[in-house]
Amino acid sequence: MTHKAPSLFDWKIAGPAVGDAFKKLDPRLMIKNPVMFVTMVGAALTTVGIFTAATDRGFIAQLAVWLWFTVLFANFAEAVAEGRGKAQAQALRGTRVNTVARRINKSGKVEEVSANDLRKGDVVLVHAGEVIPADGDVIEGAATVDESAITGESAPVIRESGGDRSAVTGGTRVLSDEIKIRISINPGEGFLDRMISLVEGASRQKTPNEIALTILLSALTLIFLLVCVTLKPFGLYSATVFSVPVLIALLVCLIPTTIGGLLSAIGIAGMDRLLQHNVLAMSGRAVEASGDVDVLLLDKTGTITLGNRMATDFVPAPGVAMEKLADAAQLASLADETPEGRSVVVLAKEKFGLRGREVAAPQAQFVPFTAQTRMSGVDFAATGGQPARSIRKGAAAAIKIHVDRLGGQFPEAVDRSVENVARSGGTPLVVTDGSEVLGVIHLKDIVKGGIKERFAQLRKMGIRTVMITGDNKLTATAIAAEAGVDDFLAEAKPEDKLALIRKEQADGRMVAMIGDGTNDAPALAQADVGVAMNTGTQAAKEAGNMVDLDSNPTKLIEIIEIGKQLLITRGSLTTFSIANDVAKYFAIVPAMLMVTFPAIAPLNIMHLHSPNSAILSAIIFNALIIVALIPLALRGVKFKPIGALAILQRNLLIYGLGGVIIPFAGIKVIDVLVAAFKLV
């Protein structure tokens, strides 16, 4: 599910952003961005210079106005990026309702309370048509749930107890049946609350790379500041007297204001783009790290496969008709409410037209599955001239013991069928009618459609995929081949997953982990990028630093692309900004000095009108280029799966060369207009 981002020109976003741009002039906020803080201080000093200067007050006033615009445009870029999140947060707030919950008290009685009164550990009962009052886990029952308020997907999902699909979210609606839920959070700590906080940007912190780039930009700013302050003491341009406003204008033109003004917006927009793909990032660091992922670990059940083993074939014993095997298998599964049991009934119906039958006592006595017997089935009493029957289905080893006890023999051909099913990655269930072995049901973990092609895409991006499963090596080999993963870890326990992640990280690799179960939580917490499925348990969602609301494991391709896009966008605009500053230096400095040093007039290759027009044109260009680049910063530079060297070459060619050419053209056009309107 992908949501369309609000347009930059949507007044619902841009309007409030204008006001926020002025609010962000608070020095306590501006100091967090040293480049723009220096620009704001320069704008303030230039404003003071209007009243203290003896001459050129009109020129100084124009410089002051455009310096303030430079700061405001940078604040506007950040405010627009945040505004998109606020708009989505407002939509999420609209989904919250203060529902009445039916809490089960300690005496077992049901009492009605406000959802705000629920606490962690409370148990509530929710019927069809009711809204789930708070986040929790289903502890009894199964139901279809409408999660469109959270995921945007209209198709209902099944939530049931005792598995990795037990987590439910407050604000979603139960469509059928009845479930008991144990509340897992206190008021204000819910998934929806965290979503609102994150998309508003309230929880966003700068990433390590962003901090490092800020330090670099601050250092460049300091260098230019020292150069401008020490021009006179060091005897540079001794024949030229620069006023303070001109020195400030020169400083602002030459420090990296372009990337400094857009850096925060780029980071916020990265998280916003993830949310448009229905992925909730808990931190900007996770988004950034996803761009550097080398290894992807995927839990098999519910991630690579659908999570439920399904009956796909009947393999009869020698001399047994397939219809007879299918009939017995269906009878043994009529009372089996597991997905596997239901799939046996459906397969018998689809293959042989066998309808599900109503089998009731006293003619039939169903035998439930237990961990001790590892079998289930049905017993029929002798009636109407029909002899008694005892039908069983279960694991091969358990059925062998059952048949031996009844004096029968387990055919070698069935043994081979069991082995073949296991070798192909399936789970064999043997069916008997009394002491007669009828054959094998082939249960198979169904690999999700299209996943092999998506893994091939990851391989092209240089990412190795590793499937993690508790299955034996034989089964794991078959499923790994069908899914198209590069490697697998079989018979894995939670500590094995954790050890594998630590080993990969020790070898210098960035590891991403996708999982949905409680047993995946330690690995999700250890991974550099931990993506939890929204259909998974609460423990998994708490441990991960991202949550995929669509519960689609192949979504990691989009996550990685967005992470790489974030890094590429930051690199591209940094390249443009530095090239831009170099070009402005060679464009305006000769024009500033040509009156004092006529000999350098030929270096004024753009034939700018005058020193003052050159400075004013450069300041205007410096402000407008930030506005022009806001859409690119928010949308991001398009990612293509090419090597790092190719990306560097593209950056230098497009953004490096562009950063050199565009200032010359832009400043010249503005200079012509400044001269035409006699602004200086």
Side-chain angles (χ1 to χ4, degrees), residues 213-235:
L213 184 55
T214 300
I215 294 171
L216 173 62
L217 297 179
S218 302
L220 292 175
T221 302
L222 182 61
I223 290 169
F224 282 117
L225 182 61
L226 290 174
V227 169
C228 288
V229 169
T230 56
L231 280 177
K232 195 71 174 178
F234 278 97

Side-chain angles (χ1 to χ4, degrees), residues 259-393:
I259 184 61
L262 296 172
L263 187 59
S264 182
I266 293 169
I268 295 170
M271 295 180 71
D272 181 62
R273 282 196 295 276
L274 266 184
L275 193 61
Q276 290 165 28
H277 284 79
N278 259 16
V279 178
L280 180 64
M282 303 302 181
S283 70
R285 183 173 185 172
V287 184
E288 189 175 272
S290 65
D292 290 325
V293 165
D294 303 302
V295 180
L296 168 61
L297 308 183
L298 304 103
D299 182 51
K300 184 206 75 174
T301 305
T303 306
I304 291 176
T305 65
L306 293 175
N308 296 321
R309 295 175 302 172
M310 309 295 285
T312 59
D313 198 13
F314 296 115
V315 185
V320 177
M322 190 174 289
E323 289 86 347
K324 182 178 180 180
L325 168 61
D327 180 70
Q330 189 184 62
L331 287 170
S333 303
L334 288 176
D336 187 347
E337 289 301 319
T338 65
E340 293 91 339
R342 290 194 293 268
S343 72
V344 172
V345 175
V346 170
L347 182 64
K349 175 184 174 182
E350 289 178 347
K351 274 204 165 189
F352 304 105
L354 297 174
R355 309 292 297 179
R357 288 147 284 187
E358 293 290 337
V359 184
Q363 291 85 5
Q365 182 67 44
F366 289 103
V367 179
F369 175 87
T370 66
Q372 289 73 32
T373 64
R374 298 175 66 198
M375 295 186 299
S376 63
V378 60
D379 291 333
F380 291 96
T383 179
Q386 296 293 326
R389 295 177 69 189
S390 178
I391 300 174
R392 294 289 183 273
K393 67 168 185 179

Side-chain angles (χ1 to χ4, degrees), residues 78-390:
E78 183 177 23
V80 168
E82 290 174 347
R84 291 181 168 196
K86 289 176 181 177
Q88 295 185 44
Q90 196 61 36
L92 289 171
R93 280 196 179 92
T95 66
R96 289 202 301 193
V97 289
N98 185 19
T99 59
V100 174
R102 288 185 292 139
R103 182 172 61 188
I104 301 174
N105 59 28
K106 292 181 180 179
S107 61
K109 293 182 179 180
V110 176
E111 57 183 5
E112 291 191 352
V113 299
S114 168
N116 293 329
D117 294 332
L118 293 175
R119 294 292 182 273
K120 186 175 181 178
D122 286 347
V123 176
V124 297
L125 193 64
V126 185
H127 291 298
E130 295 179 347
V131 173
I132 294 172
D135 295 6
D137 292 291
V138 179
I139 59 172
E140 188 177 312
T144 54
V145 179
D146 175 11
E147 295 187 341
S148 58
I150 303 297
T151 66
E153 180 59 59
S154 58
V157 295
I158 295 175
R159 293 288 176 263
E160 56 190 345
S161 62
D164 289 344
R165 300 174 185 270
S166 62
V168 290
T169 306
T172 57
R173 185 177 298 274
V174 174
L175 299 180
S176 69
D177 304 292
E178 176 185 278
I179 49 177
K180 278 185 184 177
I181 301 168
R182 179 178 288 113
I183 304 302
S184 59
I185 53 94
N186 290 318
E189 300 173 358
F191 188 63
L192 202 56
D193 296 293
R194 286 188 288 124
M195 279 186 72
I196 291 170
S197 175
L198 286 162
V199 299
E200 281 185 323
S203 299
R204 182 182 179 272
Q205 295 180 340
K206 287 187 177 182
T207 65
N209 284 347
E210 199 172 341
I211 292 170
L213 184 55
T214 300
I215 294 171
L216 173 62
L217 297 179
S218 302
L220 292 175
T221 302
L222 182 61
I223 290 169
F224 282 117
L225 182 61
L226 290 174
V227 169
C228 288
V229 169
T230 56
L231 280 177
K232 195 71 174 178
F234 278 97
L236 299 176
Y237 314 135
S238 57
T240 303
V241 178
F242 291 118
S243 65
V244 171
V246 169
L247 284 176
I248 290 171
L250 182 63
L251 168 68
V252 171
C253 283
L254 300 184
I255 63 176
T257 49
T258 306
I259 184 61
L262 296 172
L263 187 59
S264 182
I266 293 169
I268 295 170
M271 295 180 71
D272 181 62
R273 282 196 295 276
L274 266 184
L275 193 61
Q276 290 165 28
H277 284 79
N278 259 16
V279 178
L280 180 64
M282 303 302 181
S283 70
R285 183 173 185 172
V287 184
E288 189 175 272
S290 65
D292 290 325
V293 165
D294 303 302
V295 180
L296 168 61
L297 308 183
L298 304 103
D299 182 51
K300 184 206 75 174
T301 305
T303 306
I304 291 176
T305 65
L306 293 175
N308 296 321
R309 295 175 302 172
M310 309 295 285
T312 59
D313 198 13
F314 296 115
V315 185
V320 177
M322 190 174 289
E323 289 86 347
K324 182 178 180 180
L325 168 61
D327 180 70
Q330 189 184 62
L331 287 170
S333 303
L334 288 176
D336 187 347
E337 289 301 319
T338 65
E340 293 91 339
R342 290 194 293 268
S343 72
V344 172
V345 175
V346 170
L347 182 64
K349 175 184 174 182
E350 289 178 347
K351 274 204 165 189
F352 304 105
L354 297 174
R355 309 292 297 179
R357 288 147 284 187
E358 293 290 337
V359 184
Q363 291 85 5
Q365 182 67 44
F366 289 103
V367 179
F369 175 87
T370 66
Q372 289 73 32
T373 64
R374 298 175 66 198
M375 295 186 299
S376 63
V378 60
D379 291 333
F380 291 96
T383 179
Q386 296 293 326
R389 295 177 69 189
S390 178

Side-chain angles (χ1 to χ4, degrees), residues 309-521:
R309 295 175 302 172
M310 309 295 285
T312 59
D313 198 13
F314 296 115
V315 185
V320 177
M322 190 174 289
E323 289 86 347
K324 182 178 180 180
L325 168 61
D327 180 70
Q330 189 184 62
L331 287 170
S333 303
L334 288 176
D336 187 347
E337 289 301 319
T338 65
E340 293 91 339
R342 290 194 293 268
S343 72
V344 172
V345 175
V346 170
L347 182 64
K349 175 184 174 182
E350 289 178 347
K351 274 204 165 189
F352 304 105
L354 297 174
R355 309 292 297 179
R357 288 147 284 187
E358 293 290 337
V359 184
Q363 291 85 5
Q365 182 67 44
F366 289 103
V367 179
F369 175 87
T370 66
Q372 289 73 32
T373 64
R374 298 175 66 198
M375 295 186 299
S376 63
V378 60
D379 291 333
F380 291 96
T383 179
Q386 296 293 326
R389 295 177 69 189
S390 178
I391 300 174
R392 294 289 183 273
K393 67 168 185 179
I399 293 294
K400 279 183 181 179
I401 296 172
H402 174 71
V403 170
D404 285 344
R405 192 180 295 119
L406 295 177
Q409 278 194 324
F410 198 92
E412 288 185 12
V414 175
D415 247 340
R416 288 195 296 272
S417 296
V418 168
E419 187 177 335
N420 290 337
V421 169
R423 187 177 291 111
S424 70
T427 301
L429 291 181
V430 180
V431 180
T432 66
D433 189 347
S435 62
E436 182 186 8
V437 179
L438 301 179
V440 177
I441 304 171
H442 184 167
L443 294 180
K444 183 180 178 182
D445 249 346
I446 305 298
V447 173
K448 292 184 176 180
I451 201 164
K452 188 169 187 176
E453 292 73 20
R454 304 304 299 273
F455 287 158
Q457 284 181 262
L458 287 170
R459 199 171 296 112
K460 287 181 182 178
M461 295 163 65
I463 297 167
R464 185 165 61 93
T465 52
V466 181
M467 181 185 77
I468 301 176
T469 176
D471 291 335
N472 59 59
K473 289 186 178 180
L474 204 62
T475 302
T477 301
I479 294 176
E482 184 178 356
V485 295
D486 298 312
D487 201 356
F488 66 87
L489 177 66
E491 300 175 353
K493 299 182 287 295
E495 53 268 29
D496 297 328
K497 301 177 188 180
L498 203 57
L500 177 60
I501 291 174
R502 287 172 176 166
K503 178 181 178 298
E504 295 286 357
Q505 289 172 332
D507 291 338
R509 299 185 181 94
M510 294 285 283
V511 181
M513 166 76 185
I514 293 183
D516 61 353
T518 301
N519 64 335
D520 296 324

